[in-house]
Amino acid sequence: MAQQACPFLTIEASGQDLYGEISRIRDQGPAVEIELPGGVRAWWINGLELNKRLLSGPETSKDAFQHWPAWINGDISRTWPLAIWVSVRNMVTAYGTEHSRLRKPMAAAFTKRRVDALLPRVQEIVDRALDDLERLPTGEVVDLRAAFAAPVPHEVVCELFGVPGGEDGPRKALYRIINNFFDTAISLEDAQANAVDLYGTLTAFLQDKREHPADDLTTALIAARDEGSLSEQELMDNLILLLTAGFETTVNLIDNTVHSLLAHPDQLQLVRSGQVTWEDALEESLRFEAPGAMSGLRYAVEDIEIEPGLTIPKGDAVVVSFAGAGRDPERHGPDAERFDVTRATSRDHVSFGHGVHHCLGRPLAMAEATVALTSLFDRFPRLALADPARPPKRLRSIISTGHQELPVLLHGRGPGPQPGPRPEEAGAIRKLTELGGTSGTKVPRV
């Protein structure tokens, strides 16, 4: 095995220079041994094709209990602040036939029929959020992530899974818990307290749902548990996966796409003029700024030869970097660091995974984001960054890629033209021709 230079590159927990770190890792080779927050060593993979290979093939596993000796032997402490990303037992951390078994009941959550049926309700949620924005004083700086990009997906996923609202309901608690869940700079004490809060909140929610079943996905998962398809822990941990991933990735997709378009007015104009579609903009955003910077850890099931003289030993941890793959110059060219909605390779990314672990929620996330974007720019055609010279601060995470806040001016900085979307783009539900029409579809009671 080729020897790596020491000391190892250390990934900074706050994620504030993530792309700079990715670039420095890329300069050292296709697979580089690094140190994650908490001193845990792993191999970091940036290249798109190598990412695809390790995501889809049998060479790596996501089951630490089977294939990560450092975890099995206790070398990695269960008090590691990121331990919950390893210890959960759900379809994302399962391997082989166990993954297939756990994925099957989850697939019912995201059928085309369910997504289509939910879209009119998504439009209502988006419109209500935009109505609230319109009531704000003209000229006020607005945090668009907190006021729009986050609450819309949160409400959608909570309705899909039947999570009650209200001041004392679990929706409010889950919003806070999920935000902390992706904070990789969190202290050990806060991480443990958040995990206790998470499991306590979901235990109470599941008990209530068992007593009050409804036409929602949580009730469907409970039925799968009762039929023997899932254990109680698998029910709980898969619910954690679906609620957190269904929320965070969509928030970041909306947040990142709005920011990239506003930071590159020429690219926004290409969308407005009809030279490219909103789907083109979303795909380029997914490539340029993957909503999830990396997957959960993988583990080498066997020695993996990357190239002559470079082998990842069996049992070592591996980081598949979605963010690194999206900016791979070997696939996307020397300008891979540039946001370009006309890029021919925009759709060639792994931001929603690849192979058997591809994200089940992709159709819903793309539909939500398209509804949100078209409606937002229709309602506020002069939307602008509050301070274009100052990039928003990034989330404290090496896993979740977005901004702590997204300050904007809803009505621009002064008088001027107000280019709106093409008429056929207004009223965002109509746009989903590729994802399936929704007109006249009855909204399920969820």
Side-chain angles (χ1 to χ4, degrees):
M1 183 184 73
Q3 296 297 310
Q4 296 295 321
C6 291
F8 294 96
L9 285 172
T10 300
I11 303 301
E12 209 277 312
S14 73
Q16 298 306 298
D17 185 34
L18 183 61
Y19 282 102
E21 291 176 331
I22 286 172
S23 180
R24 290 189 285 275
I25 293 170
R26 182 179 286 116
D27 288 343
Q28 292 201 17
V32 177
E33 202 168 5
I34 56 88
E35 195 171 85
L36 292 168
V40 173
R41 290 180 180 175
W43 293 83
W44 190 283
I45 311 297
N46 277 322
L48 177 63
E49 292 307 316
L50 185 52
N51 266 276
K52 287 182 177 180
R53 168 186 160 186
L54 298 182
L55 284 167
S56 59
E59 299 168 296
T60 63
S61 163
K62 297 188 75 176
D63 190 338
F65 293 90
Q66 286 192 64
H67 300 112
W68 194 17
W71 178 262
I72 298 167
N73 299 335
D75 297 336
I76 307 298
S77 172
R78 283 1 183 215
T79 62
W80 181 36
L82 305 186
I84 194 169
W85 290 88
V86 176
S87 63
V88 289
R89 307 294 284 170
N90 57 39
M91 64 178 174
V92 166
T93 58
Y95 177 70
T97 56
E98 283 296 285
H99 170 259
S100 301
R101 176 180 66 82
L102 293 174
R103 186 179 175 94
K104 185 176 180 180
M106 308 303 146
F110 301 104
T111 62
K112 183 177 181 298
R113 179 187 65 81
R114 277 195 179 271
V115 171
D116 286 350
L118 189 62
L119 284 174
R121 180 61 183 140
V122 172
Q123 184 71 67
E124 291 176 9
I125 292 169
V126 167
D127 287 343
R128 187 169 66 245
L130 294 175
D131 290 343
D132 291 340
L133 290 177
E134 279 196 330
R135 297 186 187 99
L136 298 175
T138 300
E140 179 176 310
V141 175
V142 176
D143 177 1
L144 199 69
R145 182 180 176 95
F148 182 72
V152 167
H154 182 65
E155 188 165 349
V156 170
V157 78
C158 284
E159 290 207 6
L160 193 62
F161 285 88
V163 182
E167 191 62 30
D168 298 324
R171 281 194 191 190
K172 190 173 182 179
L174 283 173
Y175 188 90
R176 180 193 69 254
I177 292 166
I178 292 171
N179 283 330
N180 291 332
F181 189 78
F182 289 92
D183 184 350
T184 54
I186 195 170
S187 69
L188 171 60
E189 294 75 18
D190 287 344
Q192 291 176 331
N194 199 60
V196 170
D197 198 2
L198 173 62
Y199 278 102
T201 298
L202 290 183
T203 297
F205 166 58
L206 284 171
Q207 180 178 344
D208 179 74
K209 187 59 61 176
R210 282 185 164 110
E211 295 171 359
H212 305 95
D215 182 17
D216 55 52
L217 297 182
T218 303
T219 300
L221 292 178
I222 290 172
R225 160 71 179 109
D226 293 343
E227 292 164 3
S229 301
L230 303 170
S231 69
E232 189 67 21
Q233 183 179 355
E234 288 167 346
L235 166 63
M236 178 79 73
D237 288 353
N238 276 287
L239 190 59
I240 290 172
L241 165 67
L242 294 168
L243 288 172
T244 56
F247 168 63
E248 188 76 3
T249 54
T250 309
V251 176
N252 289 342
L253 179 55
I254 296 170
D255 168 8
N256 292 333
T257 306
V258 170
H259 177 259
S260 292
L261 289 172
L262 295 182
H264 302 85
D266 58 324
Q267 301 300 300
L268 176 58
Q269 183 55 35
L270 289 172
V271 182
R272 289 190 179 283
S273 66
Q275 296 178 64
V276 298
T277 66
W278 285 103
E279 185 182 357
D280 293 327
L282 282 167
E283 293 288 358
E284 174 64 358
S285 178
L286 286 163
R287 179 204 70 83
F288 180 71
E289 194 84 85
M294 58 176 274
S295 73
L297 290 177
R298 281 171 162 73
Y299 317 99
V301 175
E302 57 196 43
D303 287 351
I304 303 174
E305 184 178 20
I306 303 301
E307 59 183 22
L310 179 59
T311 298
I312 297 176
K314 177 181 178 179
D316 277 11
V318 179
V319 173
V320 172
S321 174
F322 299 154
R327 299 193 184 187
D328 181 2
E330 291 190 8
R331 176 61 179 124
H332 300 293
D335 68 341
E337 300 281 342
R338 183 170 65 88
F339 181 74
D340 178 5
V341 295
T342 67
R343 188 182 299 275
T345 59
S346 287
R347 285 167 168 75
D348 199 1
H349 58 75
V350 288
S351 293
F352 281 110
H354 184 72
V356 295
H357 282 280
H358 75 273
C359 178
L360 287 169
R362 177 187 172 118
L364 179 58
M366 290 292 284
E368 281 185 71
T370 308
V371 171
L373 287 172
T374 53
S375 300
L376 174 68
F377 283 96
D378 183 22
R379 190 80 70 95
F380 300 104
R382 298 183 63 230
L383 186 69
L385 294 174
D387 187 354
R390 180 179 298 177
K393 196 170 183 179
R394 305 185 68 86
L395 293 172
R396 296 199 328 167
S397 183
I398 63 170
I399 298 171
S400 181
T401 309
H403 303 100
Q404 293 185 27
E405 58 182 26
L406 183 57
V408 300
L409 295 169
L410 298 174
H411 305 288
R413 291 181 181 77
Q418 300 187 24
R422 301 183 303 277
E424 68 271 24
E425 289 183 342
I429 291 178
R430 56 83 219 136
K431 59 97 230 150
L432 295 169
T433 53
E434 293 88 358
L435 297 171
T438 61
S439 298
T441 307
K442 184 178 179 181
V443 183
R445 297 180 64 85
V446 295

